């Protein structure tokens, strides 16, 4: 299977969502809803706490 649509000769092929997600994750992309929980961001420490 080619990722390049111009080189792929399969016409009107149906690709399941799971296959597309796995391919995207294999290529290093993060997919919302499939990549696990998002990492919690650390609080910013630039200015310090105001009193």
């Amino acid at each position: 299977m080619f990722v390049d649509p111009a080189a792929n000769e399969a016409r009107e092929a149906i690709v399941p969502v799971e296959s597309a997600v796995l391919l995207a994750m294999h290529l290093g992309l993060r997919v919302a809803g499939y990549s696990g929980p998002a990492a919690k961001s650390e609080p910013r420490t630039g200015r310090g706490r105001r009193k």
Side-chain angles (χ1 to χ4, degrees):
M1 178 173 107
F2 292 101
V3 178
D4 183 13
N8 194 350
E9 305 225 354
R11 303 274 186 234
E12 299 180 26
I14 298 174
V15 178
V17 173
E18 292 82 10
S19 297
V21 168
L22 287 173
L23 178 62
M25 290 173 66
H26 179 72
L27 293 174
L29 302 173
R30 285 186 272 164
V31 181
Y34 290 91
S35 296
K40 293 184 179 180
S41 62
E42 296 293 324
R44 294 190 289 172
T45 59
R47 293 193 301 186
R49 190 173 188 184
R50 290 186 180 186
K51 293 183 180 181

